[in-house]
Amino acid sequence: PTAAKNGFGTSTSLNSKVWFTLANGVMTEVFYPTLDVPNVQKLEFFVINDGKIVDEQINLVRSLEIPNSNSLTFKQVNRAKGGEYTISKTYITDPRENTVLIDVDVDGPSDLPLYVYYDPSLNNSGLHDTAWNEGDVMLAFDGMAPVRDAARWAARVAQLEQRIAERAQELVEFVGLTGLRDADVGTLSF
């Protein structure tokens, strides 16, 4: 990650203990539970265009907007040099949860292959981190020990899914108030 940040966001409440930084058209870090513990090194998108991998940081024309000057909301707009597509991402934190909300909008061909690159750094170390998907939930584990208790992880996934379901309407209302579109909002929770 670079030290030359374009944006730094957090919540206006003390309930949320998450901070994020932006640079070069991508999310460069997420800190949780304190400002000295990065748990994400990078979140960015790649596209395949004309058989080539296109990196948001290197190959696109980037800009940063502040949609609401009264909040720490940022919008990164990354355009293909030839104008074939645009990837726009709007970031805001949930004031009641340790969550970064990301509204992603891709304007371009409907068959444009889009991939996400997520680099966790749990407890400020990428060593021995393990991640996997369980349905719509991505789990990350810090440590060398293999997952020995599948039932425990299945219960945790069920808890997360229940919590997401309970908060869904609240988040839709929150997202509506901030001007984000609820259909395209992803979450990064800690």
Side-chain angles (χ1 to χ4, degrees), residues 74-131:
F74 297 93
K75 182 176 184 176
Q76 292 175 320
V77 180
N78 301 326
R79 288 184 181 82
K81 291 178 181 174
E84 304 89 347
Y85 57 89
T86 302
I87 302 170
S88 300
K89 299 169 289 188
T90 305
Y91 302 87
I92 192 167
T93 57
D94 182 339
R96 290 183 272 169
E97 298 284 338
N98 301 315
T99 302
V100 179
L101 299 166
I102 308 168
D103 175 28
V104 178
D105 184 38
V106 179
D107 183 24
S110 61
D111 62 345
L112 183 71
L114 181 69
Y115 300 91
V116 66
Y117 174 77
Y118 174 65
D119 184 6
S121 176
L122 303 176
N123 292 316
N124 197 24
S125 170
L127 295 175
H128 313 298
D129 291 346
T130 304

Side-chain angles (χ1 to χ4, degrees), residues 52-66:
K52 297 177 186 166
I53 298 173
V54 180
D55 179 333
E56 279 188 292
Q57 292 188 85
I58 299 169
N59 302 104
L60 301 180
V61 177
R62 303 177 308 267
S63 65
L64 182 72
E65 301 171 5
I66 301 174

Side-chain angles (χ1 to χ4, degrees), residues 3 34 48 60 71 75 80 83 95 109 121 132 146 154 165 167 177:
T34 60
I48 307 290
L60 301 180
S71 73
K75 182 176 184 176
S121 176
W132 66 96
R167 289 288 319 265
L177 291 174

